[in-house]
Amino acid sequence: MDALSAQFARDCGYIGDSPAMLAAFAAIRLDGIGRARLGHDQRKGLVDRLKLGEALFLAAIRPAQSAEEAIEDAARFIACYRNMPRWRQERRGADLARARQQRLLARFFRRYGHRLWSRQAA
């Protein structure tokens, strides 16, 4: 049992010293780290593919015409999602994930897209 896993268990509120519980907290921690890395790698792969050209980025955020419009659309959907009844939220989970991804991509390319694409054009 390493110190990080024990610290994680204490941070979660566990104050005991059961080896089985500490091992369970270690497994939870490692699973969370693995999922975070996997999600990061997936997002990075998508961004790397969209760096190839502005047309690919615009196709990814359609029907929005610009990054600003895509951010506004995503924010509008996320706010609308929060006001939906629970049964409707359960059906629209994929739409929420798409809106969050679109917001992330639009924010990245709003900040760095012009630099990336001008370097590539040169």
Side-chain angles (χ1 to χ4, degrees):
M1 186 60 46
D2 62 345
L4 289 175
S5 297
Q7 180 63 39
F8 177 72
R10 283 192 296 276
D11 291 344
C12 291
Y14 181 70
I15 56 174
D17 60 350
S18 167
M21 284 298 290
L22 291 174
F25 275 110
I28 290 169
R29 178 179 165 272
L30 291 176
D31 182 59
I33 290 170
R35 286 184 188 204
R37 285 183 180 155
L38 179 66
H40 171 76
D41 291 342
Q42 289 172 344
R43 288 186 300 271
K44 184 168 179 350
L46 180 62
V47 167
D48 287 344
R49 287 191 302 270
L50 294 178
K51 282 181 184 178
L52 298 177
E54 190 173 6
L56 289 173
F57 167 69
L58 291 174
I61 64 167
R62 72 172 190 271
Q65 299 293 320
S66 66
E68 289 80 15
E69 187 177 341
I71 292 170
E72 290 173 11
D73 290 347
R76 190 175 306 117
F77 178 79
I78 291 169
C80 178
Y81 180 87
R82 290 180 182 150
N83 293 325
M84 287 181 188
R86 180 77 178 166
W87 62 271
R88 189 172 285 167
Q89 284 181 351
E90 291 170 356
R91 294 182 184 186
R92 305 284 304 262
D95 294 336
L96 178 65
R98 183 179 181 278
R100 286 181 173 165
Q101 182 179 23
Q102 184 173 359
R103 183 178 60 177
L104 181 118
L105 289 173
R107 284 180 176 171
F108 177 83
F109 283 105
R110 180 184 62 183
R111 246 180 239 149
Y112 304 111
H114 297 294
R115 276 188 258 163
L116 292 170
W117 294 320
S118 65
R119 258 191 247 153
Q120 189 177 23

